[in-house]
Amino acid sequence: MQYEIKELPEVRIAYLRYKGPFGAAIGEFWKEVFTPWQQAYGLTGKVTYGVAQDDPNTTPASECRYDACVEVPAGSPVQPPAKEGSIPAGRYAVAAFKGSGDQVPAAWDAFFRQVHADGQAAPGLCFERYPADYVMAPATGVFESELCIPVK
């Protein structure tokens, strides 16, 4: 899998947390919970992020945490049930992804293997970054995003 090394700035976010098995349920969480919340608070048209807080290979499925996030400007209040957080600044391996939700786990697996094989991996949060003009093709479920892994 091809990737670029990029310096990314710190980003202030508001997020809602999903807890449970990764996979199709996360897509449903975005559709049924996060997107309606985002629309209700006027936070559409902004860069969004998906942050897996746990490694599903080492954490029981029922305990896996995933945060659906949206960028918010400094000083903007974050209303419950959302929580405030940040995506840390740093060096990241960034790979383009284009596909459907069911293809995301295999893409992450290939990306992790490549970054580790290249000796680049560093501890920290891994995340998906979705552009402000994010769209999903209704007929196919295909969308574009970036996968980001911290590197040395």
Side-chain angles (χ1 to χ4, degrees), residues 87-107:
I87 304 288
R91 285 173 43 90
Y92 291 88
V94 179
F97 171 81
K98 182 176 182 177
S100 58
D102 61 339
Q103 296 170 317
V104 171

Side-chain angles (χ1 to χ4, degrees), residues 1 26 28 34 38 51 108:
M1 178 173 252
I26 290 176
E28 288 300 311
F34 184 76
Q38 188 182 14
V51 181
W108 270 114

Side-chain angles (χ1 to χ4, degrees), residues 18-27 56 59-66:
Y18 162 85
K19 187 175 178 185
F22 289 175
I26 290 176
T59 303
S62 63
E63 297 300 312
C64 285
R65 298 166 298 152
Y66 176 94

Side-chain angles (χ1 to χ4, degrees), residues 7-31:
E7 289 284 340
L8 300 179
E10 180 177 25
V11 177
R12 181 175 181 252
I13 55 165
Y15 69 93
L16 296 178
R17 177 159 289 167
Y18 162 85
K19 187 175 178 185
F22 289 175
I26 290 176
E28 288 300 311
F29 179 77
W30 277 83
K31 181 179 165 187

Side-chain angles (χ1 to χ4, degrees), residues 51-140:
V51 181
Q53 296 290 339
D54 300 296
D55 179 348
N57 295 315
T58 59
T59 303
S62 63
E63 297 300 312
C64 285
R65 298 166 298 152
Y66 176 94
D67 297 336
C69 317
V70 61
E71 285 187 11
V72 291
S76 293
V78 173
Q79 302 292 334
K83 296 189 173 153
E84 181 179 341
S86 65
I87 304 288
R91 285 173 43 90
Y92 291 88
V94 179
F97 171 81
K98 182 176 182 177
S100 58
D102 61 339
Q103 296 170 317
V104 171
W108 270 114
D109 185 54
F111 189 27
F112 275 122
R113 280 189 278 114
Q114 185 64 51
V115 172
H116 281 276
D118 293 345
Q120 292 285 334
L125 288 179
C126 299
F127 55 90
E128 299 155 4
R129 183 167 60 175
Y130 301 89
D133 61 353
Y134 169 86
V135 293
M136 179 184 290
T140 63

Side-chain angles (χ1 to χ4, degrees), residues 16 29-41 44 68:
L16 296 178
F29 179 77
W30 277 83
K31 181 179 165 187
E32 302 295 328
V33 178
F34 184 76
T35 299
W37 168 84
Q38 188 182 14
Q39 291 168 339
Y41 286 93
T44 58

